[in-house]
Amino acid sequence: MFALDKKITLDNFQLKIQKKLQKTAELLENKNDEGFFNKFFSNKTAIESLYIYGSAGCGKTTLMQEFYNSLQKTSKIYFHFNAFMHLFHKTLRDIRSEEKNYKDELIEAIKRIIDDKKLLCFDEFQVLDIADAMILGRIFTYLFSKKIVIIFTSNSAPQDLYKKGLQRELFLDFINNILLKNCEIISLENSTDYRSIYRKNLAKRYFVSNALNRLKIKEIIANFTESNPLEPRILKVWGRDLKIKHSYKKIAVINFDDICRTELSASDYRAICQEFDLIFLLKLPILLKSQNRNEIRRFMLFIDEVYENKAALIVLAKTKIDKIYDSANSDFSFARTISRLKEIKSDEYWAASKLLSNN
């Protein structure tokens, strides 16, 4: 039986949404199964589109992405809605610049973007622009006519979209006659902002690596980044390029090897800690004095810069803090690093960090 990842801890409100998404996933995967009888009978079952709304940070995006990533057989595409509209207008401009004439340029633009997908996921659905408001009816009338399943997440109930917008009475036709008639509307009623909890009340900031904690770190990163993709960032240090492979706004996700097994200096670590308010340090190994002298020295410099720059730090390590280094008790300089690591993960340090003081 197909199921979403059950290791993620969900509250009762989120469980209700997960079950609905799980059912939708099962129907989609069965519909696209290669077996003749599965295909014949599943085609008789209509798959309803879903519009999920709730307050910011309540877990809508995380649930939808888990659903989306779980599908293996279904042709699919995922958009942040603003990105979709930006792409749509760009595609429409490109079409209008071509010599060929199309019967319906708007439909041609949709076809080029969607490309025969069976599932569309739109995250953060919102309507702010009158030009968008006036064309959404045509866009979604076409998509629903093609029996494409659409999953929306939004901070607003359908009836609250484009509230107080210009000519909203014209937009209400889209809400009442298209959106409400083609989607099941589901409220994620929980008002808890989980991103806020992770930012302000994260009880644990140092994790010993195991399957559960690796999943937990992944979940925390998704919450801090609002499930947006991580991208590379180039920092300039003394005229050199320092590449951070994975970042989002003021957040960096860094593997130990990338900063401690390469020729970096205190200046590099200072640049990283000045650039980012929150750093995830992953895959911290046990450090052996006999084998890892350079790595130990760099790690100490890095922790010093984290501490001095008040960067927030979340660590995924091979072992507990006191066991990171084989000679911690006899090495005064590394004992200071251990002490600083313990302080960095404390509530007091966290509350005073750049992450919270800047937000």
Side-chain angles (χ1 to χ4, degrees):
M1 177 179 172
F2 178 81
L4 298 179
D5 193 338
K6 294 181 179 179
K7 295 179 182 179
I8 296 175
T9 303
L10 303 176
D11 61 34
N12 289 335
F13 300 96
Q14 294 167 331
L15 280 170
K16 179 182 73 173
I17 307 299
Q18 188 196 47
K19 288 179 181 178
K20 180 63 68 173
L21 289 169
Q22 178 178 329
K23 182 62 175 177
T24 302
E26 290 171 354
L27 291 171
L28 283 165
E29 295 290 79
N30 288 338
K31 192 179 185 71
N32 289 284
D33 195 284
E34 292 181 355
F36 171 79
F37 288 104
N38 271 342
K39 185 170 289 187
F40 178 80
F41 287 109
S42 64
N43 282 338
K44 304 297 183 182
T45 305
I47 306 175
E48 194 166 25
S49 294
L50 304 176
Y51 183 102
I52 303 165
Y53 73 94
S55 56
C58 64
K60 304 181 299 295
T61 295
T62 299
L63 285 166
M64 184 164 73
Q65 288 197 332
E66 285 294 324
F67 157 78
Y68 181 85
N69 292 334
S70 72
L71 296 168
Q72 302 299 316
K73 303 173 186 176
T74 305
S75 59
K76 57 188 180 176
I77 193 165
Y78 187 108
F79 288 107
H80 187 283
F81 189 68
N82 286 344
F84 168 77
M85 291 308 299
H86 177 78
L87 178 59
F88 172 79
H89 287 298
K90 179 182 181 300
T91 305
L92 199 57
R93 288 195 301 272
D94 291 343
I95 289 169
R96 288 170 177 168
S97 68
E98 297 173 4
E99 293 184 4
K100 182 178 178 179
N101 292 323
Y102 295 92
K103 183 178 179 180
D104 191 322
E105 294 172 338
L106 183 145
I107 300 302
E108 176 64 22
I110 298 170
K111 287 179 179 178
R112 291 188 186 186
I113 296 169
I114 303 308
D115 190 29
D116 294 327
K117 297 295 188 294
K118 303 302 181 185
L119 169 72
L120 306 182
C121 287
F122 289 121
D123 192 25
E124 300 289 349
F125 184 71
Q126 59 179 333
V127 186
L128 304 174
D129 183 271
I130 187 172
D132 291 346
M134 294 303 103
I135 63 174
L136 285 180
R138 291 189 62 205
I139 290 175
F140 285 99
T141 294
Y142 173 79
L143 293 175
F144 288 127
S145 75
K146 296 298 180 182
K147 307 300 181 185
I148 296 171
V149 177
I150 305 174
I151 311 296
F152 300 86
T153 69
S154 179
N155 292 343
S156 303
Q159 295 85 347
D160 292 332
L161 290 167
Y162 196 52
K163 216 166 188 178
K164 299 181 180 179
L166 293 173
Q167 301 181 43
R168 187 172 185 267
E169 63 280 0
L170 300 177
F171 181 69
L172 290 175
D173 181 65
F174 162 70
I175 295 174
N176 295 325
N177 296 319
I178 300 172
L179 201 58
L180 295 180
K181 287 187 176 181
N182 288 280
C183 295
E184 180 179 355
I185 312 301
I186 309 174
S187 171
L188 186 47
E189 297 162 345
N190 188 8
S191 61
T192 302
D193 185 341
Y194 287 94
R195 293 196 297 265
S196 176
I197 286 177
Y198 280 125
R199 287 185 173 94
K200 297 182 180 179
N201 302 305
L202 189 63
K204 194 172 181 182
R205 295 146 197 146
Y206 185 98
F207 297 81
V208 175
S209 184
N210 57 44
L212 184 61
N213 282 340
R214 288 192 293 273
L215 184 66
K216 188 68 175 175
I217 285 285
K218 185 177 178 181
E219 189 178 340
I220 294 172
I221 292 172
N223 274 281
F224 272 111
T225 62
E226 301 175 334
S227 296
N228 284 290
L230 298 172
E231 298 180 344
R233 181 90 53 90
I234 301 296
L235 308 182
K236 290 290 185 180
V237 182
W238 296 101
R240 295 181 290 105
D241 285 350
L242 171 60
K243 183 177 181 180
I244 303 301
K245 295 178 181 178
H246 306 291
S247 72
Y248 173 73
K249 294 184 178 179
K250 302 296 284 184
I251 299 169
V253 180
I254 300 173
N255 287 338
F256 174 87
D257 284 1
D258 289 337
I259 60 168
C260 293
R261 296 195 194 278
T262 54
E263 294 291 335
L264 298 185
S265 67
S267 297
D268 297 302
Y269 300 132
R270 187 175 306 118
I272 292 169
C273 295
Q274 289 175 349
E275 175 73 13
F276 299 104
D277 293 345
L278 170 62
I279 300 168
F280 288 87
L281 179 64
L282 309 182
K283 300 184 179 180
L284 173 60
I286 296 172
L287 300 170
L288 304 176
K289 187 175 182 179
S290 59
Q291 299 176 13
N292 306 117
R293 291 183 180 276
N294 290 329
E295 290 85 349
I296 291 167
R297 177 180 57 81
R298 294 180 191 125
F299 179 66
M300 291 167 60
L301 290 173
F302 172 70
I303 295 301
D304 284 345
E305 291 300 333
V306 169
Y307 185 85
E308 295 299 331
N309 287 279
K310 295 297 180 186
L313 181 69
I314 296 175
V315 179
L316 180 67
K318 183 73 172 178
T319 189
K320 297 176 182 179
I321 288 178
D322 288 324
K323 296 182 178 180
I324 292 172
Y325 182 45
D326 63 343
S327 301
N329 292 329
S330 61
D331 191 321
F332 173 78
S333 59
F334 201 87
R336 185 186 71 171
T337 299
I338 293 291
S339 176
R340 286 192 161 181
L341 268 174
K342 291 179 178 178
E343 183 177 347
I344 286 167
K345 76 180 185 70
S346 70
D347 292 340
E348 292 77 14
Y349 180 93
W350 191 260
S353 69
K354 290 193 298 178
L355 177 69
L356 296 189
S357 60
N358 291 348
N359 290 287

